[in-house]
Amino acid sequence: MILDPHSAAQFIQGYKTLLLEIDAEVSGNGALGVREKLVAAREQLRKDRSLLKKGLDRMKAKNLDISSAVIQAVEDLQIERWIYLRDTKHQSIFIHPKGHSAFGVVGLTDPIQGIVGSSGVVMETGLARYCGRFVCDGLISGVILLGPNDRKSFGRTFSSLKAEGHFHVTYEA
């Protein structure tokens, strides 16, 4: 339920460097810890996608490398309040908050449940297409536990989405 270590390290390094460049450009959150800076920068990126190009330009000026696969993943990053329903043997099930699609998601270095501590939650995070899989960006905030009735309801939603062909595990790169 995690990405291979080499690909994960490549994503983490490039994504972290890019988000820190965005943070330095936008806010200069000197008092915040690294994780808080990353979450704040991701939020700024969600609000203003032009920050991606500015961050990449700053990286280029500093001769900092980022792979084209990571750039593509960040360009397509979907930052939402996802429903993390549960785990299967090979992935974690995420349902889009509007209920129109579901994704089989892998973690970068840890399974999602290991990060969150429970399944059946609503949380804000980013989902990216990377290395043929859907990956969670690992920056998770605003976790809200679902009650038993909501979990059952989202379980039915997932079953319907899967039956209708709206459950996506891999994609064509």
Side-chain angles (χ1 to χ4, degrees), residues 129-145:
R129 296 173 185 219
Y130 182 66
C131 294
R133 301 293 310 264
F134 294 97
V135 298
C136 174
D137 73 355
L139 300 175
I140 296 171
S141 59
V143 176
I144 301 169
L145 294 173

Side-chain angles (χ1 to χ4, degrees), residues 10 12 24 26 33 41 69-70 84 94 108 111:
Q10 187 177 39
I12 291 166
V26 174
V70 174
Y84 161 46
F94 279 51
L108 292 167

Side-chain angles (χ1 to χ4, degrees), residues 78 82 94-103 161 166-168:
Q78 295 181 57
W82 295 96
F94 279 51
I95 301 174
H96 190 278
K98 294 184 181 176
H100 56 63
S101 55
F103 299 90
L161 290 170
H166 298 293
F167 176 54
H168 310 285

Side-chain angles (χ1 to χ4, degrees), residues 57-65:
D57 289 345
R58 286 172 59 108
M59 288 179 67
K60 185 176 181 180
K62 294 178 179 181
N63 291 320
L64 298 172
D65 280 341

Side-chain angles (χ1 to χ4, degrees), residues 2-73:
I2 61 172
L3 205 55
D4 72 89
H6 174 74
S7 297
Q10 187 177 39
F11 181 88
I12 291 166
Q13 182 59 41
Y15 188 51
K16 179 180 175 181
T17 303
L18 176 59
L19 288 179
L20 289 174
E21 286 299 327
I22 291 170
D23 178 71
E25 172 78 17
V26 174
S27 62
N29 286 316
L32 296 179
V34 173
R35 185 184 184 292
E36 290 80 13
K37 287 181 180 185
L38 296 174
V39 171
R42 186 188 66 188
E43 178 60 18
Q44 291 302 315
L45 180 60
R46 185 186 66 77
K47 291 177 183 176
D48 181 1
R49 292 301 235 185
S50 72
L51 292 173
L52 176 60
K53 182 178 181 335
K54 291 175 185 175
L56 291 170
D57 289 345
R58 286 172 59 108
M59 288 179 67
K60 185 176 181 180
K62 294 178 179 181
N63 291 320
L64 298 172
D65 280 341
I66 185 170
S67 78
S68 60
V70 174
I71 294 170
Q72 182 68 42

